[in-house]
Amino acid sequence: MKTSTSTPISSGRNLLLLALSFLIATGSIACSDPSIEGTGNVSFVAEPASLLFTNIDQGDFQQQTLVVRNNGGSDLTLSNIELVNTTGNSLSPVGDWDDVTVEPDGAIDLTVEYAPQDEDQHEGYITIETNDLQLASEFACNPGDGDGLACIPVETQGFAPELHVSRTQVPFQAPPDGLDENYVQLRNIGGGTLDISRIEVTDGQQDYAISFFEELDGGDMPQPRSDDRTEAPTVLEPGEGIFMRVIFTPDDEDPSYGNVRIESNDPFQSTLDIELLGNTG
């Protein structure tokens, strides 16, 4: 029966092969483990993942900053950094956005300015060419393509009007054939133009009437009824207001109920009712 024998040469060859196998295995593990620095991994992260500008006045401006971080173990290259306006031109970069290399655990700031010139909603995005070919889908322009192109959305809130009334219930007290009056302030507290399509007494027309007068300097009110206008306002610009005078002229002492309805382009409340309560106290 033959038995195998080991020579010094064959034993050395086996040890060398074993050592090479170990080096190859550990090297491949190191290259695939992103926790080991210096292995060629980069990791692009943007904070926040998108920019949102809230409602501001026309002619004013607002700035927000995007922080781009490198959470990998090798240098992250950023090039051809651009801000693209998809609607209008109210979004602009602040300062120079030059090509840059971000070291591991490093970060850069990219600041965007929003200066609206109209009431429309504006949108855009920041594009950045990177050497991170495994971009997270939330940052990638083309998820799964491995092209390293990052896209960060930039959005704004359009200007919206908002009607504010000083009261939604108005009390009156008057004897038969007498008169009582009260006042409601209407104001546009939103950022867009308020278009009013209707202000009308819809219930109790026999007892109630309305008229309008402008706000007075120094808060003095009311002005004489003879100076009122009967036509309702159709437009209130942001911050603009007007007073509505409600006149109660009952025929008797019985309780009287009425209603003033206001219809507008207020997206939060397109129809608003003001309750009129005469001789109910």
Side-chain angles (χ1 to χ4, degrees):
M1 181 176 65
K2 293 182 178 181
T3 60
S4 62
T5 60
S6 174
T7 66
I9 294 177
S10 63
S11 297
R13 182 184 298 112
N14 291 338
L15 289 173
L16 177 61
L17 292 174
L18 181 62
L20 288 173
S21 299
F22 176 77
L23 289 174
I24 292 172
T26 55
S28 64
I29 292 174
C31 290
S32 62
D33 187 352
S35 65
I36 300 178
E37 296 187 1
T39 62
N41 294 289
V42 294
S43 179
F44 174 97
V45 175
E47 299 174 350
S50 63
L51 297 180
L52 175 63
F53 290 91
T54 56
N55 193 9
I56 63 174
D57 294 332
Q58 294 183 45
D60 202 352
F61 71 92
Q62 188 178 97
Q63 293 183 351
Q64 289 199 27
T65 298
L66 178 77
V67 180
V68 176
R69 301 186 183 278
N70 178 11
N71 284 354
S74 296
D75 289 348
L76 172 69
T77 60
L78 309 176
S79 60
N80 295 323
I81 308 173
E82 296 183 0
L83 174 61
V84 179
N85 280 275
T86 55
T87 56
N89 58 357
S90 295
L91 299 167
S92 58
V94 176
D96 296 327
W97 289 3
D98 298 325
D99 296 353
V100 64
T101 298
V102 184
E103 297 180 349
D105 297 324
I108 66 163
D109 292 343
L110 299 174
T111 300
V112 177
E113 182 173 289
Y114 174 46
Q117 303 302 318
D118 54 45
E119 298 177 4
D120 297 334
Q121 183 175 355
H122 299 91
E123 296 180 347
Y125 53 91
I126 300 170
T127 60
I128 309 174
E129 295 181 10
T130 81
N131 64 332
D132 184 352
L133 303 184
Q134 296 181 337
L135 278 173
S137 59
E138 62 180 320
F139 307 127
C141 292
N142 308 298
D145 282 6
D147 57 9
L149 184 60
C151 285
I152 309 301
V154 182
E155 300 176 338
T156 70
Q157 291 182 345
F159 291 95
E162 184 177 353
L163 174 63
H164 172 77
V165 298
S166 58
R167 61 175 81 181
T168 56
Q169 285 189 337
V170 186
F172 302 89
Q173 196 71 36
D177 299 321
L179 180 148
D180 192 12
E181 61 182 41
N182 222 322
Y183 315 94
V184 179
Q185 185 186 42
L186 316 179
R187 181 177 291 278
N188 178 10
I189 62 173
T193 299
L194 180 72
D195 295 319
I196 302 173
S197 56
R198 182 187 189 189
I199 304 181
E200 185 179 349
V201 177
T202 55
D203 290 308
Q205 295 93 333
Q206 71 280 2
D207 290 341
Y208 299 97
I210 56 176
S211 59
F212 304 90
F213 60 93
E214 306 292 339
E215 295 182 298
L216 303 178
D217 294 336
D220 295 331
M221 60 172 270
Q223 66 180 28
R225 283 199 305 274
S226 59
D227 294 337
D228 287 3
R229 66 180 199 229
T230 57
E231 65 276 9
T234 57
V235 172
L236 289 178
E237 297 296 339
E240 189 177 7
I242 195 169
F243 280 98
M244 178 176 68
R245 189 194 308 264
V246 184
I247 304 168
F248 176 49
T249 54
D251 293 331
D252 52 45
E253 296 180 352
D254 295 336
S256 173
Y257 300 92
N259 186 80
V260 174
R261 173 156 295 181
I262 305 175
E263 296 177 358
S264 71
N265 66 332
D266 182 338
F268 309 103
Q269 190 174 15
S270 60
T271 300
L272 187 148
D273 289 317
I274 299 174
E275 190 176 8
L276 311 178
L277 306 174
N279 293 336
T280 59

